[in-house]
Amino acid sequence: MTGLKQANATKKVKLIAYDAAPAEVNALKNGTISALIAQNPAQEGRVTMQLADKLMKEADVPKRKLTELVVIDSKQHELADKYEYNSTC
């Protein structure tokens, strides 16, 4: 993102980022980032705790557990707000 800004290329190159930290969501909203690939951190936390509970009870757990990923484009500000990481929760 910084390199594109320094090269004055934010309108020429489409940047897609992974995650939805506040800086990335702001960049999406102001057009610096074209899209975000966002995770659902609340779901990841729930799944992690469920699997940890099973492990402590010596129950079987799946080798892989997929959680939600969404693509958010620059016009989906409400969706970006929904998936933005909240450090105060």
Side-chain angles (χ1 to χ4, degrees):
M1 192 164 44
T2 301
L4 290 177
K5 286 180 183 178
Q6 290 174 346
N8 201 23
T10 57
K11 302 296 181 202
K12 298 175 189 172
V13 177
K14 293 192 181 282
L15 177 63
I16 299 173
Y18 185 84
D19 277 339
E24 292 165 329
V25 171
N26 288 335
L28 178 80
K29 290 178 179 180
N30 72 29
T32 305
I33 291 177
S34 299
L36 294 174
I37 309 298
Q39 305 163 40
N40 184 332
Q43 181 190 39
E44 289 176 334
R46 280 191 304 276
V47 168
T48 299
M49 297 313 301
Q50 290 166 355
L51 294 174
D53 181 58
K54 286 182 179 184
L55 284 170
M56 290 189 316
K57 294 175 180 172
E58 298 183 3
D60 290 334
V61 296
K63 289 183 180 185
R64 184 181 310 179
K65 180 69 175 178
L66 300 178
T67 56
E68 179 182 21
L69 291 175
V70 295
V71 177
I72 305 168
D73 72 34
S74 60
K75 296 176 182 132
Q76 297 175 299
H77 293 191
E78 289 182 20
L79 193 58
D81 291 338
K82 176 182 175 184
Y83 284 90
E84 182 175 358
Y85 295 165
N86 182 349
S87 62
T88 60
C89 59

